[in-house]
Amino acid sequence: MCTDSSNSVLITGDSKGYIKTWDIGQLYIDTPSRPGQAVSVPPFMPPANVTNAYPGNIRCTAFWRAHTVSIVSVEYVQRYKLVLTCSSDCSLRLWTLEGVYIG
């Protein structure tokens, strides 16, 4: 599982070989004020002044079968807006955020 640098896209991989991309731009994500500082926010309990911060605002934008076995790692290459996946059979694959196979 990984996100883009702005925490607006979440990318997940599962044990069946599927990748899903999620729009989480409307989800409230607290960030620490100092590097290394822990963030403690109860699940789905944003501050009162934050709107549109509930699980219903998380939307799956794409999904595809990336591998035939478990995905063990997912990385987002911010510079090129690409997804790199690795599976338990040690294969690596490169994808667009929409699931188009690059190589």
Side-chain angles (χ1 to χ4, degrees):
M1 176 170 39
C2 63
T3 64
D4 66 342
S5 61
S6 65
N7 287 326
S8 61
V9 176
L10 173 68
I11 305 160
T12 60
D14 69 19
S15 62
K16 304 276 187 193
Y18 287 92
I19 293 289
K20 290 184 180 181
T21 61
W22 306 86
D23 176 1
I24 60 169
Q26 297 298 312
L27 181 68
Y28 175 74
I29 298 175
D30 193 13
T31 55
S33 58
R34 300 185 319 259
Q37 177 185 5
V39 174
S40 178
V41 177
F44 309 117
M45 297 296 291
N49 63 342
V50 175
T51 59
N52 298 325
Y54 294 96
N57 291 329
I58 299 172
R59 177 173 73 85
C60 182
T61 55
F63 70 95
W64 65 94
R65 185 85 184 255
H67 297 271
T68 58
V69 293
S70 296
I71 293 175
V72 295
S73 183
V74 176
E75 293 294 328
Y76 182 62
V77 183
Q78 184 78 37
R79 181 176 180 180
Y80 300 107
K81 298 183 179 175
L82 296 174
V83 178
L84 180 64
T85 61
C86 179
S87 70
S88 59
D89 67 1
C90 299
S91 65
L92 296 172
R93 294 184 179 168
L94 193 62
W95 309 88
T96 67
L97 277 173
E98 295 77 28
V100 176
Y101 179 68
I102 304 294

